[in-house]
Amino acid sequence: MKIAMIGLGRMGGNMALRLLRGGQQVVAYNRTFAKARALENDGAMAVERLEQVADALETPRVLWLMLPAGKAVDEHLQRLVPTLQQGDIVVEGGNSFWRDDLRRAEFCSQNGVRYLDAGVSGGIWGLENGYCMMLGGDHDAYEHLRPLLDTLAPPAGHMYCGPVGAGHFVKMVHNGIEYGMMQAYAEGFELLDASPYAAGLDYAELSQLWNRGSVVRSWLLELLEQVFAQDGQLEQLEAFVDDSGEGRWTVQQAIESAVPAEVLTIALMRRFRSRQASSFSDRLLAALRNAFGGHAVVSSKEK
């Protein structure tokens, strides 16, 4: 099949490569044209202008967007959709908020274009291992895309999740769970590092061990093994953890649905906490302990 990949960053570029290596035809577009040109050696057809993409495809056209969530997606759709025809398919594969899919699908529908929202997981390892994909929207469009999805995913690695928004909603919850899992590993290894047995533990070896039949085995532990092999005490890193937005959306949804998602919420709060070198709340707690109990405090001048 032939597909246009629009947005060739870390995910989009590797997805285009996986499609090419799987025998699919790729039309490559990126705002920085050099990224599209770089894929020509792998068999892609690079186009320089967004308005040229439709002319490079056969009907029904398939266009897959891998762009930063938000304004960039809307701007590209506003320029792309008028160039398309009845029955063409647009896939929004970035980390978009699922409610944004509802209005985007309506805009596409008004122009006769079918819309799919795709939550994509796999990160920088997807090129080699395949991408896990959760899709929502037009079911017939999903069925039409099966050859492309089978190429991008490992066996049984994609799923139709329901109507418009379902794909990104499921991916949102997936990322919320990811926050909780990462936080659990972080706290567990911190507890080990504070124990009297820390000096005798090789964390890379332990990560490998826990992936051999343990109930806590996971791909995240595989990655931890690699991380610890390179930097056993993580001394090269600052304790600053960003968030992409999906963790926030997950917690907001938990509030709206009255679902007590305590672990996912706390995991998000800990990411916020990591960005505060000396938080006001901690200083306030120290001041209160000193005020009511005379407990020792450390002056900022003593640090």
Side-chain angles (χ1 to χ4, degrees), residues 59-98:
T59 58
R61 300 174 179 87
V62 179
L63 302 90
W64 192 302
L65 277 62
M66 289 300 294
L67 302 165
K71 186 178 179 181
V73 178
D74 291 318
E75 289 177 346
H76 279 70
L77 285 175
Q78 289 290 334
R79 293 171 60 189
L80 275 172
V81 171
T83 70
L84 304 180
Q85 296 177 358
Q86 183 85 22
D88 290 347
I89 301 167
V90 168
V91 184
E92 184 354 52
N95 284 331
S96 284
F97 186 36
W98 64 273

mmCIF file of all heavy atoms in Angstrom, residues 59-98:
data_model
loop_
_atom_site.group_PDB
_atom_site.id
_atom_site.type_symbol
_atom_site.label_atom_id
_atom_site.label_comp_id
_atom_site.label_asym_id
_atom_site.label_seq_id
_atom_site.Cartn_x
_atom_site.Cartn_y
_atom_site.Cartn_z
ATOM 1 N N THR A 59 -6.123 7.209 -4.803
ATOM 2 C CA THR A 59 -7.335 7.108 -3.990
ATOM 3 C C THR A 59 -7.670 5.641 -3.707
ATOM 4 O O THR A 59 -7.427 4.775 -4.564
ATOM 5 C CB THR A 59 -8.520 7.782 -4.719
ATOM 6 O OG1 THR A 59 -8.696 7.152 -5.990
ATOM 7 C CG2 THR A 59 -8.286 9.267 -4.894
ATOM 8 N N PRO A 60 -8.233 5.354 -2.526
ATOM 9 C CA PRO A 60 -8.406 6.299 -1.429
ATOM 10 C C PRO A 60 -7.060 6.588 -0.757
ATOM 11 O O PRO A 60 -6.320 5.685 -0.410
ATOM 12 C CB PRO A 60 -9.347 5.554 -0.470
ATOM 13 C CG PRO A 60 -9.075 4.109 -0.727
ATOM 14 C CD PRO A 60 -8.756 4.009 -2.189
ATOM 15 N N ARG A 61 -6.761 7.857 -0.632
ATOM 16 C CA ARG A 61 -5.489 8.277 -0.058
ATOM 17 C C ARG A 61 -5.445 7.971 1.439
ATOM 18 O O ARG A 61 -6.456 8.046 2.125
ATOM 19 C CB ARG A 61 -5.278 9.775 -0.275
ATOM 20 C CG ARG A 61 -5.261 10.194 -1.747
ATOM 21 C CD ARG A 61 -5.196 11.698 -1.862
ATOM 22 N NE ARG A 61 -5.151 12.153 -3.259
ATOM 23 C CZ ARG A 61 -6.227 12.366 -3.996
ATOM 24 N NH1 ARG A 61 -7.443 12.169 -3.472
ATOM 25 N NH2 ARG A 61 -6.118 12.778 -5.241
ATOM 26 N N VAL A 62 -4.241 7.660 1.915
ATOM 27 C CA VAL A 62 -4.018 7.442 3.348
ATOM 28 C C VAL A 62 -2.916 8.388 3.798
ATOM 29 O O VAL A 62 -1.796 8.351 3.276
ATOM 30 C CB VAL A 62 -3.617 5.983 3.650
ATOM 31 C CG1 VAL A 62 -3.364 5.814 5.153
ATOM 32 C CG2 VAL A 62 -4.686 5.008 3.168
ATOM 33 N N LEU A 63 -3.235 9.242 4.776
ATOM 34 C CA LEU A 63 -2.278 10.207 5.310
ATOM 35 C C LEU A 63 -2.192 10.020 6.817
ATOM 36 O O LEU A 63 -3.207 10.059 7.512
ATOM 37 C CB LEU A 63 -2.699 11.643 4.987
ATOM 38 C CG LEU A 63 -2.869 11.996 3.504
ATOM 39 C CD1 LEU A 63 -4.311 11.728 3.065
ATOM 40 C CD2 LEU A 63 -2.517 13.453 3.255
ATOM 41 N N TRP A 64 -0.986 9.813 7.309
ATOM 42 C CA TRP A 64 -0.771 9.545 8.740
ATOM 43 C C TRP A 64 0.016 10.707 9.328
ATOM 44 O O TRP A 64 1.132 10.984 8.917
ATOM 45 C CB TRP A 64 -0.006 8.245 8.919
ATOM 46 C CG TRP A 64 0.028 7.727 10.338
ATOM 47 C CD1 TRP A 64 0.511 8.364 11.434
ATOM 48 C CD2 TRP A 64 -0.438 6.447 10.775
ATOM 49 N NE1 TRP A 64 0.381 7.580 12.551
ATOM 50 C CE2 TRP A 64 -0.200 6.388 12.174
ATOM 51 C CE3 TRP A 64 -1.028 5.356 10.141
ATOM 52 C CZ2 TRP A 64 -0.532 5.264 12.932
ATOM 53 C CZ3 TRP A 64 -1.352 4.236 10.903
ATOM 54 C CH2 TRP A 64 -1.108 4.206 12.281
ATOM 55 N N LEU A 65 -0.577 11.398 10.308
ATOM 56 C CA LEU A 65 0.070 12.533 10.963
ATOM 57 C C LEU A 65 0.765 12.078 12.236
ATOM 58 O O LEU A 65 0.153 11.425 13.093
ATOM 59 C CB LEU A 65 -0.958 13.613 11.310
ATOM 60 C CG LEU A 65 -1.369 14.604 10.210
ATOM 61 C CD1 LEU A 65 -2.023 13.871 9.045
ATOM 62 C CD2 LEU A 65 -2.323 15.656 10.761
ATOM 63 N N MET A 66 2.052 12.412 12.366
ATOM 64 C CA MET A 66 2.816 12.177 13.591
ATOM 65 C C MET A 66 3.440 13.496 14.015
ATOM 66 O O MET A 66 4.619 13.765 13.797
ATOM 67 C CB MET A 66 3.884 11.108 13.363
ATOM 68 C CG MET A 66 3.342 9.699 13.197
ATOM 69 S SD MET A 66 2.396 9.083 14.608
ATOM 70 C CE MET A 66 3.653 8.995 15.879
ATOM 71 N N LEU A 67 2.615 14.349 14.607
ATOM 72 C CA LEU A 67 2.994 15.714 14.942
ATOM 73 C C LEU A 67 2.831 15.968 16.437
ATOM 74 O O LEU A 67 2.112 15.232 17.121
ATOM 75 C CB LEU A 67 2.104 16.694 14.169
ATOM 76 C CG LEU A 67 2.127 16.563 12.643
ATOM 77 C CD1 LEU A 67 0.946 17.309 12.027
ATOM 78 C CD2 LEU A 67 3.446 17.104 12.094
ATOM 79 N N PRO A 68 3.465 17.019 16.967
ATOM 80 C CA PRO A 68 3.226 17.386 18.367
ATOM 81 C C PRO A 68 1.736 17.680 18.587
ATOM 82 O O PRO A 68 1.088 18.317 17.747
ATOM 83 C CB PRO A 68 4.079 18.646 18.557
ATOM 84 C CG PRO A 68 5.116 18.573 17.484
ATOM 85 C CD PRO A 68 4.459 17.905 16.317
ATOM 86 N N ALA A 69 1.208 17.212 19.704
ATOM 87 C CA ALA A 69 -0.217 17.407 19.990
ATOM 88 C C ALA A 69 -0.556 18.888 20.070
ATOM 89 O O ALA A 69 0.259 19.712 20.494
ATOM 90 C CB ALA A 69 -0.581 16.717 21.309
ATOM 91 N N GLY A 70 -1.773 19.220 19.622
ATOM 92 C CA GLY A 70 -2.253 20.588 19.749
ATOM 93 C C GLY A 70 -2.330 21.344 18.447
ATOM 94 O O GLY A 70 -2.800 20.829 17.429
ATOM 95 N N LYS A 71 -1.825 22.561 18.461
ATOM 96 C CA LYS A 71 -1.987 23.503 17.354
ATOM 97 C C LYS A 71 -1.434 22.977 16.036
ATOM 98 O O LYS A 71 -2.031 23.189 14.975
ATOM 99 C CB LYS A 71 -1.314 24.827 17.725
ATOM 100 C CG LYS A 71 -1.516 25.949 16.724
ATOM 101 C CD LYS A 71 -0.848 27.229 17.212
ATOM 102 C CE LYS A 71 -1.021 28.362 16.208
ATOM 103 N NZ LYS A 71 -0.341 29.607 16.670
ATOM 104 N N ALA A 72 -0.302 22.295 16.081
ATOM 105 C CA ALA A 72 0.334 21.818 14.848
ATOM 106 C C ALA A 72 -0.586 20.860 14.088
ATOM 107 O O ALA A 72 -0.654 20.902 12.852
ATOM 108 C CB ALA A 72 1.659 21.131 15.161
ATOM 109 N N VAL A 73 -1.310 20.009 14.810
ATOM 110 C CA VAL A 73 -2.219 19.063 14.165
ATOM 111 C C VAL A 73 -3.342 19.809 13.452
ATOM 112 O O VAL A 73 -3.659 19.536 12.284
ATOM 113 C CB VAL A 73 -2.799 18.074 15.190
ATOM 114 C CG1 VAL A 73 -3.799 17.123 14.520
ATOM 115 C CG2 VAL A 73 -1.685 17.274 15.862
ATOM 116 N N ASP A 74 -3.945 20.769 14.144
ATOM 117 C CA ASP A 74 -5.042 21.537 13.542
ATOM 118 C C ASP A 74 -4.584 22.309 12.311
ATOM 119 O O ASP A 74 -5.288 22.358 11.297
ATOM 120 C CB ASP A 74 -5.634 22.501 14.579
ATOM 121 C CG ASP A 74 -6.369 21.772 15.685
ATOM 122 O OD1 ASP A 74 -7.094 20.809 15.378
ATOM 123 O OD2 ASP A 74 -6.226 22.164 16.854
ATOM 124 N N GLU A 75 -3.410 22.914 12.401
ATOM 125 C CA GLU A 75 -2.898 23.690 11.267
ATOM 126 C C GLU A 75 -2.668 22.797 10.054
ATOM 127 O O GLU A 75 -3.004 23.175 8.920
ATOM 128 C CB GLU A 75 -1.598 24.391 11.665
ATOM 129 C CG GLU A 75 -1.796 25.542 12.650
ATOM 130 C CD GLU A 75 -0.492 26.165 13.087
ATOM 131 O OE1 GLU A 75 0.571 25.535 12.847
ATOM 132 O OE2 GLU A 75 -0.508 27.266 13.669
ATOM 133 N N HIS A 76 -2.125 21.611 10.250
ATOM 134 C CA HIS A 76 -1.885 20.700 9.139
ATOM 135 C C HIS A 76 -3.203 20.199 8.549
ATOM 136 O O HIS A 76 -3.332 20.090 7.323
ATOM 137 C CB HIS A 76 -1.019 19.528 9.592
ATOM 138 C CG HIS A 76 0.452 19.841 9.643
ATOM 139 N ND1 HIS A 76 0.997 20.695 10.579
ATOM 140 C CD2 HIS A 76 1.496 19.419 8.860
ATOM 141 C CE1 HIS A 76 2.299 20.785 10.389
ATOM 142 N NE2 HIS A 76 2.625 20.013 9.348
ATOM 143 N N LEU A 77 -4.163 19.895 9.400
ATOM 144 C CA LEU A 77 -5.455 19.429 8.893
ATOM 145 C C LEU A 77 -6.151 20.514 8.071
ATOM 146 O O LEU A 77 -6.762 20.220 7.030
ATOM 147 C CB LEU A 77 -6.351 18.985 10.048
ATOM 148 C CG LEU A 77 -6.011 17.638 10.686
ATOM 149 C CD1 LEU A 77 -6.914 17.381 11.890
ATOM 150 C CD2 LEU A 77 -6.135 16.504 9.677
ATOM 151 N N GLN A 78 -6.070 21.747 8.546
ATOM 152 C CA GLN A 78 -6.703 22.848 7.815
ATOM 153 C C GLN A 78 -6.125 22.977 6.411
ATOM 154 O O GLN A 78 -6.838 23.329 5.458
ATOM 155 C CB GLN A 78 -6.510 24.164 8.587
ATOM 156 C CG GLN A 78 -7.307 24.272 9.874
ATOM 157 C CD GLN A 78 -8.801 24.412 9.624
ATOM 158 O OE1 GLN A 78 -9.237 24.896 8.576
ATOM 159 N NE2 GLN A 78 -9.610 23.990 10.584
ATOM 160 N N ARG A 79 -4.857 22.688 6.254
ATOM 161 C CA ARG A 79 -4.218 22.796 4.943
ATOM 162 C C ARG A 79 -4.400 21.529 4.109
ATOM 163 O O ARG A 79 -4.491 21.593 2.887
ATOM 164 C CB ARG A 79 -2.729 23.096 5.123
ATOM 165 C CG ARG A 79 -2.450 24.467 5.720
ATOM 166 C CD ARG A 79 -0.972 24.614 6.089
ATOM 167 N NE ARG A 79 -0.096 24.457 4.925
ATOM 168 C CZ ARG A 79 1.240 24.369 5.010
ATOM 169 N NH1 ARG A 79 1.822 24.400 6.216
ATOM 170 N NH2 ARG A 79 1.978 24.233 3.921
ATOM 171 N N LEU A 80 -4.463 20.381 4.757
ATOM 172 C CA LEU A 80 -4.505 19.114 4.042
ATOM 173 C C LEU A 80 -5.896 18.741 3.540
ATOM 174 O O LEU A 80 -6.058 18.330 2.383
ATOM 175 C CB LEU A 80 -3.999 17.982 4.942
ATOM 176 C CG LEU A 80 -2.496 17.748 5.016
ATOM 177 C CD1 LEU A 80 -2.180 16.738 6.097
ATOM 178 C CD2 LEU A 80 -1.965 17.255 3.664
ATOM 179 N N VAL A 81 -6.887 18.837 4.423
ATOM 180 C CA VAL A 81 -8.216 18.301 4.110
ATOM 181 C C VAL A 81 -8.803 18.880 2.822
ATOM 182 O O VAL A 81 -9.382 18.135 2.016
ATOM 183 C CB VAL A 81 -9.165 18.482 5.312
ATOM 184 C CG1 VAL A 81 -10.605 18.140 4.934
ATOM 185 C CG2 VAL A 81 -8.704 17.592 6.467
ATOM 186 N N PRO A 82 -8.668 20.190 2.556
ATOM 187 C CA PRO A 82 -9.211 20.709 1.294
ATOM 188 C C PRO A 82 -8.568 20.109 0.044
ATOM 189 O O PRO A 82 -9.143 20.208 -1.050
ATOM 190 C CB PRO A 82 -8.923 22.215 1.387
ATOM 191 C CG PRO A 82 -8.843 22.500 2.851
ATOM 192 C CD PRO A 82 -8.193 21.288 3.432
ATOM 193 N N THR A 83 -7.405 19.475 0.173
ATOM 194 C CA THR A 83 -6.745 18.870 -0.985
ATOM 195 C C THR A 83 -7.190 17.430 -1.206
ATOM 196 O O THR A 83 -6.783 16.809 -2.205
ATOM 197 C CB THR A 83 -5.213 18.894 -0.819
ATOM 198 O OG1 THR A 83 -4.829 17.961 0.216
ATOM 199 C CG2 THR A 83 -4.722 20.284 -0.466
ATOM 200 N N LEU A 84 -8.023 16.894 -0.299
ATOM 201 C CA LEU A 84 -8.404 15.491 -0.354
ATOM 202 C C LEU A 84 -9.771 15.306 -0.990
ATOM 203 O O LEU A 84 -10.502 16.264 -1.235
ATOM 204 C CB LEU A 84 -8.377 14.890 1.060
ATOM 205 C CG LEU A 84 -7.037 15.017 1.807
ATOM 206 C CD1 LEU A 84 -7.133 14.395 3.180
ATOM 207 C CD2 LEU A 84 -5.911 14.395 0.993
ATOM 208 N N GLN A 85 -10.144 14.033 -1.221
ATOM 209 C CA GLN A 85 -11.396 13.709 -1.874
ATOM 210 C C GLN A 85 -12.231 12.773 -1.010
ATOM 211 O O GLN A 85 -11.757 12.235 0.002
ATOM 212 C CB GLN A 85 -11.128 13.053 -3.240
ATOM 213 C CG GLN A 85 -10.422 13.956 -4.241
ATOM 214 C CD GLN A 85 -10.127 13.238 -5.548
ATOM 215 O OE1 GLN A 85 -10.411 12.050 -5.695
ATOM 216 N NE2 GLN A 85 -9.555 13.958 -6.500
ATOM 217 N N GLN A 86 -13.468 12.585 -1.415
ATOM 218 C CA GLN A 86 -14.400 11.690 -0.733
ATOM 219 C C GLN A 86 -13.756 10.310 -0.542
ATOM 220 O O GLN A 86 -13.239 9.710 -1.483
ATOM 221 C CB GLN A 86 -15.672 11.534 -1.570
ATOM 222 C CG GLN A 86 -16.750 10.680 -0.949
ATOM 223 C CD GLN A 86 -17.636 11.478 -0.003
ATOM 224 O OE1 GLN A 86 -17.708 12.705 -0.102
ATOM 225 N NE2 GLN A 86 -18.307 10.786 0.901
ATOM 226 N N GLY A 87 -13.791 9.827 0.709
ATOM 227 C CA GLY A 87 -13.301 8.483 0.999
ATOM 228 C C GLY A 87 -11.850 8.402 1.412
ATOM 229 O O GLY A 87 -11.388 7.329 1.850
ATOM 230 N N ASP A 88 -11.080 9.490 1.257
ATOM 231 C CA ASP A 88 -9.693 9.479 1.717
ATOM 232 C C ASP A 88 -9.653 9.331 3.237
ATOM 233 O O ASP A 88 -10.637 9.597 3.942
ATOM 234 C CB ASP A 88 -8.974 10.758 1.294
ATOM 235 C CG ASP A 88 -8.724 10.823 -0.208
ATOM 236 O OD1 ASP A 88 -8.878 9.783 -0.871
ATOM 237 O OD2 ASP A 88 -8.392 11.915 -0.713
ATOM 238 N N ILE A 89 -8.500 8.898 3.748
ATOM 239 C CA ILE A 89 -8.369 8.576 5.170
ATOM 240 C C ILE A 89 -7.244 9.390 5.793
ATOM 241 O O ILE A 89 -6.120 9.407 5.281
ATOM 242 C CB ILE A 89 -8.073 7.076 5.374
ATOM 243 C CG1 ILE A 89 -9.194 6.219 4.770
ATOM 244 C CG2 ILE A 89 -7.879 6.753 6.853
ATOM 245 C CD1 ILE A 89 -8.835 4.745 4.649
ATOM 246 N N VAL A 90 -7.552 10.042 6.920
ATOM 247 C CA VAL A 90 -6.548 10.738 7.720
ATOM 248 C C VAL A 90 -6.419 10.018 9.059
ATOM 249 O O VAL A 90 -7.421 9.743 9.730
ATOM 250 C CB VAL A 90 -6.933 12.212 7.958
ATOM 251 C CG1 VAL A 90 -6.033 12.837 9.027
ATOM 252 C CG2 VAL A 90 -6.829 13.001 6.663
ATOM 253 N N VAL A 91 -5.191 9.703 9.441
ATOM 254 C CA VAL A 91 -4.914 9.086 10.733
ATOM 255 C C VAL A 91 -4.131 10.076 11.581
ATOM 256 O O VAL A 91 -3.079 10.554 11.159
ATOM 257 C CB VAL A 91 -4.098 7.785 10.588
ATOM 258 C CG1 VAL A 91 -3.923 7.116 11.954
ATOM 259 C CG2 VAL A 91 -4.759 6.837 9.601
ATOM 260 N N GLU A 92 -4.642 10.407 12.766
ATOM 261 C CA GLU A 92 -3.921 11.272 13.698
ATOM 262 C C GLU A 92 -3.230 10.367 14.713
ATOM 263 O O GLU A 92 -3.864 9.791 15.589
ATOM 264 C CB GLU A 92 -4.926 12.207 14.362
ATOM 265 C CG GLU A 92 -4.472 13.289 15.310
ATOM 266 C CD GLU A 92 -3.018 13.363 15.713
ATOM 267 O OE1 GLU A 92 -2.125 13.378 14.845
ATOM 268 O OE2 GLU A 92 -2.765 13.411 16.904
ATOM 269 N N GLY A 93 -1.915 10.216 14.556
ATOM 270 C CA GLY A 93 -1.173 9.244 15.350
ATOM 271 C C GLY A 93 -0.363 9.818 16.488
ATOM 272 O O GLY A 93 0.360 9.080 17.159
ATOM 273 N N GLY A 94 -0.463 11.133 16.738
ATOM 274 C CA GLY A 94 0.286 11.732 17.844
ATOM 275 C C GLY A 94 -0.416 11.515 19.170
ATOM 276 O O GLY A 94 -1.443 10.841 19.263
ATOM 277 N N ASN A 95 0.136 12.119 20.207
ATOM 278 C CA ASN A 95 -0.441 11.983 21.553
ATOM 279 C C ASN A 95 -1.495 13.061 21.799
ATOM 280 O O ASN A 95 -1.382 13.872 22.716
ATOM 281 C CB ASN A 95 0.657 12.063 22.615
ATOM 282 C CG ASN A 95 1.467 10.788 22.693
ATOM 283 O OD1 ASN A 95 0.974 9.705 22.406
ATOM 284 N ND2 ASN A 95 2.723 10.906 23.071
ATOM 285 N N SER A 96 -2.542 13.057 20.984
ATOM 286 C CA SER A 96 -3.575 14.084 21.088
ATOM 287 C C SER A 96 -4.578 13.770 22.193
ATOM 288 O O SER A 96 -4.796 12.608 22.555
ATOM 289 C CB SER A 96 -4.332 14.210 19.760
ATOM 290 O OG SER A 96 -3.569 14.908 18.808
ATOM 291 N N PHE A 97 -5.210 14.826 22.707
ATOM 292 C CA PHE A 97 -6.292 14.688 23.674
ATOM 293 C C PHE A 97 -7.506 14.137 22.941
ATOM 294 O O PHE A 97 -7.886 14.640 21.876
ATOM 295 C CB PHE A 97 -6.597 16.056 24.286
ATOM 296 C CG PHE A 97 -7.594 16.024 25.410
ATOM 297 C CD1 PHE A 97 -7.640 14.984 26.313
ATOM 298 C CD2 PHE A 97 -8.497 17.076 25.569
ATOM 299 C CE1 PHE A 97 -8.551 14.974 27.360
ATOM 300 C CE2 PHE A 97 -9.414 17.078 26.603
ATOM 301 C CZ PHE A 97 -9.440 16.023 27.502
ATOM 302 N N TRP A 98 -8.137 13.116 23.494
ATOM 303 C CA TRP A 98 -9.198 12.413 22.773
ATOM 304 C C TRP A 98 -10.386 13.305 22.422
ATOM 305 O O TRP A 98 -11.042 13.098 21.395
ATOM 306 C CB TRP A 98 -9.675 11.202 23.583
ATOM 307 C CG TRP A 98 -10.328 11.520 24.901
ATOM 308 C CD1 TRP A 98 -9.708 11.696 26.098
ATOM 309 C CD2 TRP A 98 -11.725 11.683 25.150
ATOM 310 N NE1 TRP A 98 -10.618 11.969 27.084
ATOM 311 C CE2 TRP A 98 -11.871 11.956 26.526
ATOM 312 C CE3 TRP A 98 -12.868 11.627 24.353
ATOM 313 C CZ2 TRP A 98 -13.119 12.184 27.113
ATOM 314 C CZ3 TRP A 98 -14.108 11.845 24.936
ATOM 315 C CH2 TRP A 98 -14.221 12.111 26.301
#
